[in-house]
Amino acid sequence: MTNFKKNFQSFGKSLLFPISLLSFMAIFLGLAAALQNPNIIEFMPFLDNTFLQNILGMIRKISALPFGYLPLLFAMSIPLGMVKRDKEVAVYAGAVGYIAMLIGMNYFLSLQGYTPETTSIAYLMETEGLSQVEATLLNARFTSTLGIFVYNTNVIGGIIAGLMGVYLHNKFRQTELHAALTFYSGKRFVPIISALVMVVVGIGLTFVWPIVNAGIINMGELISETGLFGTFLYGFTEKIINPTGLHHILNQTFRFTALGGVENIDGHSLVGALQIYLYQLDNNLPFSTDATRFLAQGKILHMVFGMPAAVLAIYRMALPEKREKVLKFFLAGLTAVILTGITEPIEFTFIFISPVLWIVNAIFAGLAFLVPAIFDAGIGNIQGGIIDWLVFGVFQGLETKWYIYLIAGPIFFAMYYFSYTFIIRKFNVLTIGRRKTTLKMMKRMIRKTCQSKNRIVRRLKTSLKDWGAYQYCRCR
């Protein structure tokens, strides 16, 4: 149990490598995206400059780096944080294994007839005869990762590859092959076995992932049929499956299919919550609250008020001498989540190390969707940060009921803060800044240091002795 706890802690710490990059880049991504938003440009005309917009576009592309390659970063960072010796070999094996997993998945998908062309919405509707809802749901299962067409496993795929990289490295790092294959023995064998094993894992995922997708689609149908409870369920489900990347399927389902609503406006048949909202926004029509309940209004309480409260709880529960470092670590992530609603830099620091916090976080996210829906708020778009609250709430008039967030926000802040503080203390969750270097740990470190020094001294003495004998023979 002790080894499991140590490995679990190492796993949690290893995730901080990509998360720190994610939180830093998220600031620039959010700001650049906001300054390229047509609604912001309309209020700030000086932004409507080709050169300036090109610069912002470049910043946006560069800042999106960790978001586009996050699974690969996880596959590399987990071995980096968990392996004790030959870290570079484990990291390399993790990356090789992840690519091999994608290739295995891609090849087996092609055998099943799934390609970018045969899974496009147009092809599915015209050739296969699927409805728009069915075609959109099927299309949402797939993505292109590193240029390879695969199921959208998101960070879960990277975590699987990273953990397998650690296991295979520890098991085969000292493997000795037949004399004819000596060159491939030891450390060189680790990436080789990783490639071979992870191809099989990729093939296995082509059978497992459709089952998971089917579960998400069934959940979407339940959400659309259960009114206000369905709104809560939407927010809860989106957050609980966020690490898997499957929340994209849920989002697509409600934003662009009949599950998110169907309305006939001015002779136009509009399908999906986002399409309904954007048409109403563009034509200065009253907003449909049945559509906006699945959009940004449900994220504002969680992102603008809940996440800062969670960070404050983690900060207050950290060791006094480490609080300053904790604050510096979260500063970039806080800026990103408040401005633009990018939560991963904060949530990924605790949901992988505490199932309780993960579930509570999802419950609160569900409540964040439910409360605005109860009061018939009408704030659209998809991000959920303070920019969305201002642009699509405050600037659109009192009809959006943007003011309810001024009342509900502080309540959510307190709810998050006291709940997270209680859970971290009660279950001794080792969030950032809570690991303590005990006297026993210090003694162990000192002992290891002394042993290392003694080995160096012994080797030095042996070397000097051999050198003296060599010089003696040479003189003779």
Side-chain angles (χ1 to χ4, degrees), residues 118-335:
T118 60
T119 56
S120 67
I121 295 176
Y123 179 90
L124 293 171
M125 292 178 65
E126 295 170 6
T127 307
E128 300 295 331
L130 272 61
S131 67
Q132 184 187 26
V133 174
E134 294 170 333
T136 303
L137 292 176
L138 181 58
N139 173 265
R141 298 181 186 182
F142 305 95
T143 188
S144 178
T145 304
L146 302 180
I148 305 171
F149 178 76
V150 291
Y151 278 123
N152 188 4
T153 59
N154 207 291
V155 297
I156 291 297
I159 290 173
I160 291 172
L163 290 174
M164 286 298 294
V166 172
Y167 171 76
L168 294 172
H169 172 271
N170 292 337
K171 187 172 181 64
F172 295 102
R173 183 173 60 89
Q174 296 178 322
T175 297
E176 292 296 328
L177 301 177
H178 186 272
L181 301 172
T182 301
F183 178 78
Y184 303 105
S185 297
K187 294 186 289 187
R188 293 189 182 95
F189 185 65
V190 176
I192 295 172
I193 192 66
S194 295
L196 297 175
V197 170
M198 293 308 293
V199 165
V200 178
V201 172
I203 293 173
L205 283 174
T206 60
F207 295 98
V208 174
W209 218 249
I211 299 172
V212 179
N213 282 328
I216 300 303
I217 292 170
N218 291 335
M219 179 64 73
E221 293 173 350
L222 175 65
I223 289 169
S224 68
E225 296 169 359
T226 50
L228 284 175
F229 177 72
T231 306
F232 165 81
L233 203 57
Y234 177 83
F236 172 83
T237 306
E238 184 199 38
K239 195 55 62 176
I240 203 74
I241 64 176
N242 182 271
T244 67
L246 293 169
H247 64 293
H248 293 300
I249 295 175
L250 188 69
N251 290 336
Q252 295 284 74
T253 300
F254 282 86
R255 290 172 186 170
F256 302 106
T257 76
L259 292 180
V262 178
E263 293 198 21
N264 194 295
I265 305 174
D266 298 334
H268 297 277
S269 181
L270 302 169
V271 179
L274 187 59
Q275 296 194 71
I276 293 170
Y277 174 77
L278 291 177
Y279 183 87
Q280 292 169 338
L281 178 69
D282 189 44
N283 292 275
N284 296 316
L285 298 172
F287 299 125
S288 168
T289 56
D290 286 335
T292 59
R293 67 191 179 111
F294 299 120
L295 300 176
Q297 69 179 38
K299 299 184 178 185
I300 295 170
L301 289 172
H302 176 72
M303 295 172 175
V304 178
F305 298 96
M307 285 296 94
V311 170
L312 179 61
I314 294 172
Y315 169 80
R316 293 296 299 273
M317 293 306 297
L319 299 172
E321 65 271 18
K322 294 186 177 182
R323 286 177 181 171
E324 185 178 352
K325 290 183 178 180
V326 171
L327 183 60
K328 290 178 179 177
F329 177 85
F330 279 116
L331 195 58
L334 269 176
T335 305

Side-chain angles (χ1 to χ4, degrees), residues 5 7 60 219 253 319 356 425:
K5 187 176 180 180
N7 290 333
R60 195 171 176 178
M219 179 64 73
T253 300
L319 299 172
V356 178
R425 182 187 292 117

Side-chain angles (χ1 to χ4, degrees), residues 459-475:
R459 289 176 184 173
L460 184 60
K461 286 181 178 178
T462 303
S463 299
L464 289 172
K465 185 177 179 181
D466 291 343
W467 176 252
Y470 167 73
Q471 290 287 13
Y472 175 77
C473 293
R474 184 181 168 193
C475 293

Side-chain angles (χ1 to χ4, degrees), residues 353-364:
I353 62 174
S354 173
V356 178
L357 279 180
W358 185 1
I359 294 170
V360 169
N361 186 60
I363 292 172
F364 287 171

Side-chain angles (χ1 to χ4, degrees), residues 75 79-80 83 85-95 165-166 169 190:
L80 179 63
V83 167
R85 296 180 181 178
D86 300 322
K87 289 178 178 287
E88 69 282 359
V89 177
V91 171
Y92 180 58
V166 172
H169 172 271
V190 176

